[in-house]
Amino acid sequence: MAHKKGGGSSRNGRDSNSQRLGVKRFGGEKVTAGSIIVRQRGTRFAPGPNVGLGSDDTLFAMIDGVVQFTTFRGTRRKVNVVPPISAETH
């Protein structure tokens, strides 16, 4: 009997690169226009005022301001960017 496995190639040597998804800027953080706020698959977070939706469902700031997370319709979450002047008065 063979005491070594055949010298064939290994079968488990595959893995995909991580996608680095998630929230990149949290509530209360200042952002500049174009900053990525959330990287996601599907609209787990919906875009609110002053937030754009990229072709890969990435949410990004359309103006300079402060990030704000809110909920609507019970469990749905929305991301807003409020201008810094009005953010300080709230």
Side-chain angles (χ1 to χ4, degrees), residues 43-80:
T43 51
R44 296 169 63 90
F45 291 89
N50 305 315
V51 176
L53 182 69
S55 59
D56 63 349
D57 294 319
T58 294
L59 299 184
F60 59 91
M62 296 176 76
I63 61 166
D64 293 359
V66 178
V67 178
Q68 199 178 60
F69 287 86
T70 57
T71 57
F72 69 104
R73 272 197 244 142
T75 58
R76 295 278 288 140
R77 291 179 291 189
K78 185 187 283 188
V79 183
N80 311 322

Side-chain angles (χ1 to χ4, degrees), residues 22-46:
V23 177
K24 306 299 179 188
R25 292 285 179 267
F26 295 93
E29 283 194 55
K30 289 181 181 168
V31 290
T32 55
S35 297
I36 291 176
I37 304 169
V38 181
R39 304 253 304 138
Q40 60 185 354
R41 292 290 167 265
T43 51
R44 296 169 63 90
F45 291 89

Side-chain angles (χ1 to χ4, degrees), residues 5-14:
K5 273 189 173 259
S9 60
S10 65
R11 296 206 310 239
N12 292 335
R14 294 173 302 282

Side-chain angles (χ1 to χ4, degrees), residues 68 85-90:
Q68 199 178 60
I85 296 99
S86 63
E88 290 165 9
T89 58
H90 279 29

Side-chain angles (χ1 to χ4, degrees), residues 10-24:
S10 65
R11 296 206 310 239
N12 292 335
R14 294 173 302 282
D15 199 4
S16 57
N17 296 327
S18 63
Q19 295 185 312
R20 297 169 178 88
L21 302 176
V23 177
K24 306 299 179 188

